[in-house]
Amino acid sequence: MNGTFCGTWAVDTGGSRRIPFHLIGSGEAWLHFESEVPQKLQLQDLVVFPRDAHQIISGQNDVIGIGLGVDTGHGY
């Protein structure tokens, strides 16, 4: 997925059966794993996962309302 996000947003790339990665081209984002402290990502940060892991990248450090750990079937 290549996009520009603003406002409140979150993307769940888990379950894609591909090697997921995130490259921050501008601004910042937060990487969320269940039961882990969110990690702040900034300009030019690159995160590559060795396997398809359930994780969410979002514009905020608070996962309330994002649905982490709950499969909503909507991809967020």
Side-chain angles (χ1 to χ4, degrees), residues 16-73:
S16 64
R17 296 185 179 164
R18 297 173 189 225
I19 298 174
F21 70 93
H22 302 295
L23 173 62
I24 307 303
S26 66
E28 61 185 39
W30 291 87
L31 182 63
H32 304 270
F33 283 98
E34 193 169 6
S35 302
E36 297 287 332
V37 175
Q39 299 294 311
K40 186 176 183 179
L41 304 177
Q42 299 176 356
L43 177 65
Q44 298 183 349
D45 279 349
L46 173 64
V47 181
V48 180
F49 301 92
R51 61 186 174 344
D52 190 12
H54 183 88
Q55 40 75 33
I56 293 176
I57 188 167
S58 72
Q60 60 274 357
N61 67 346
D62 187 355
V63 296
I64 294 173
I66 293 176
L68 187 63
V70 177
D71 183 6
T72 63

